[in-house]
Amino acid sequence: MQISKDAAVKGIGAPEGEELERINALARRELEAEEVYTFALRLCDNEVDRDLERFDEKTLEELAPLFVGVSGVFDHQWSARGQTARIYRTQVVEDGSRTADGRPCRWLKGWAYLMRTPENQGLIAEIDGGIKREVSVGCAVDRVVCSVCGQELADCPHEKGEEYGGQLCCGVLTGAADVYEWSFVAVPAQRKAGVVKSAGARREDEARLGRRYLKGLRRELVRLAGTAEPELEHGLLERVVARLEEEELLGLIRLYRGRAARLLGQGAQLSYREDRAAEEEGQGAFLI
């Protein structure tokens, strides 16, 4: 994906006015313009990519606010040491061009900043020199539907890459669910942008399952605590439980399971299965 040369900031380099205000909304202290380097980039678009998938237009609009504040890394390696820049503004662009299948081309433009530190001088030089240019995004969507019939792609009779009545079948990524990061990469899935695939998608899947697991634990703790101490206000209990992590949740689940079992005399029925908690969540976001 190419770094945009027609950014709506005043050139590539130091931010001014509203641009600096947007950056300072994300910073811990007030930054001066000369401390910051900015650049614009094309995050993703509605063109069919190398994996025969594309974002639909509404999903691009939904992704736009989710990307504000998201950091950039390298090769989708989720490490704090790899954080290099952060997006402070986004906009969906329709530039008058057409996609390969004739639809109006739309793409998500982002403006990012990084600090002008000695450690970043090499990266700034590579961006200016066109070496660091391609990027890929890591995000999740609710559904992947068939471009031919509109059904869930996994359930419909059509095959990606095949033509039906002159229409190419591809997966349409629909419903923005979450945004993880954007990365400098060598070869993005999208020819002008990109989405996370393979190993990166597996890590996202693991993160999704982890969130479901914690959500299941929290739901179970609320149920048990409400059974053992019915005088507890449900809304307050949910807010408190939402702040707890796995070790705390498991400890309190054991405590309240025992109390609830003694109160009801039904210990066997209150047995908790952690694996089932995640399963009951149903189908989650598709990761791309």
Side-chain angles (χ1 to χ4, degrees):
M1 180 207 75
Q2 294 185 341
I3 299 294
S4 294
K5 299 299 183 183
D6 59 342
V9 294
K10 191 162 182 143
I12 298 294
E16 296 181 1
E18 183 184 352
E19 300 302 312
L20 186 58
E21 291 179 9
R22 290 174 181 266
I23 291 170
N24 277 321
L26 300 173
R28 185 173 175 269
R29 65 172 176 84
E30 289 291 311
L31 302 175
E32 301 295 333
E34 59 270 17
E35 295 181 87
V36 180
Y37 174 85
T38 62
F39 57 100
L41 43 90
R42 182 170 176 148
L43 290 165
C44 51
D45 56 41
N46 64 341
E47 184 66 85
V48 178
D49 65 21
R50 292 184 173 95
D51 295 317
L52 295 172
E53 294 178 340
R54 66 172 176 86
F55 290 100
D56 76 359
E57 289 72 16
K58 184 178 179 182
T59 302
L60 290 177
E61 295 174 1
E62 294 168 348
L63 285 171
L66 298 180
F67 265 107
V68 175
V70 173
S71 62
V73 294
F74 294 93
D75 297 315
H76 302 297
Q77 297 298 311
W78 294 7
S79 168
R81 283 191 292 271
Q83 287 179 292
T84 181
R86 195 172 295 276
I87 291 175
Y88 66 90
R89 181 157 74 94
T90 58
Q91 179 185 5
V92 176
V93 175
E94 185 170 336
D95 56 14
S97 64
R98 294 273 172 176
T99 62
D101 56 1
R103 292 170 294 105
C105 181
R106 291 184 181 177
W107 51 280
L108 179 56
K109 183 175 184 177
W111 286 261
Y113 77 96
L114 56 83
M115 301 301 294
R116 290 183 180 272
T117 62
E119 295 79 10
N120 284 338
Q121 288 309 306
L123 176 58
I124 291 172
E126 290 183 321
I127 292 173
D128 284 343
I131 305 303
K132 286 291 189 295
R133 212 168 74 168
E134 291 76 22
V135 302
S136 172
V137 301
C139 59
V141 297
D142 292 326
R143 298 188 302 149
V144 180
V145 302
C146 173
S147 62
V148 175
C149 67
Q151 299 180 48
E152 296 282 348
L153 188 63
D155 300 328
C156 82
H158 304 111
E159 295 290 336
K160 284 199 302 184
E162 299 294 329
E163 287 194 2
Y164 300 87
Q167 181 179 356
L168 177 70
C169 176
C170 69
V172 182
L173 309 172
T174 306
D178 202 356
V179 167
Y180 305 110
E181 43 79 16
W182 56 275
S183 294
F184 285 106
V185 296
V187 182
Q190 290 191 332
R191 289 166 177 82
K192 294 181 180 179
V195 294
V196 175
K197 302 292 182 183
S198 64
R202 187 185 66 231
R203 285 193 295 272
E204 291 168 18
D205 191 48
E206 291 169 353
R208 173 177 57 86
L209 292 176
R211 290 193 297 272
R212 286 187 186 177
Y213 167 65
L214 288 176
K215 185 175 181 180
L217 290 181
R218 290 175 180 131
R219 186 174 61 246
E220 180 69 1
L221 177 55
V222 169
R223 184 182 72 84
L224 291 170
T227 301
E229 300 186 41
E231 69 277 9
L232 289 174
E233 198 273 313
H234 187 78
L236 175 61
L237 181 59
E238 285 187 327
R239 291 193 294 274
V240 171
V241 168
R243 299 173 180 267
L244 304 180
E245 296 301 327
E246 180 187 27
E247 185 176 353
E248 300 163 314
L249 290 166
L250 290 174
L252 288 172
I253 282 172
R254 286 191 292 269
L255 172 66
Y256 279 110
R257 183 194 301 147
R259 289 185 182 180
R262 288 192 296 273
L263 179 65
L264 299 178
Q266 297 176 346
Q269 294 183 19
L270 292 169
S271 178
Y272 178 68
R273 288 183 54 200
E274 295 169 3
D275 58 337
R276 187 175 176 184
E279 294 171 4
E280 289 176 348
E281 277 303 298
Q283 297 298 318
F286 285 86
L287 296 163
I288 59 174

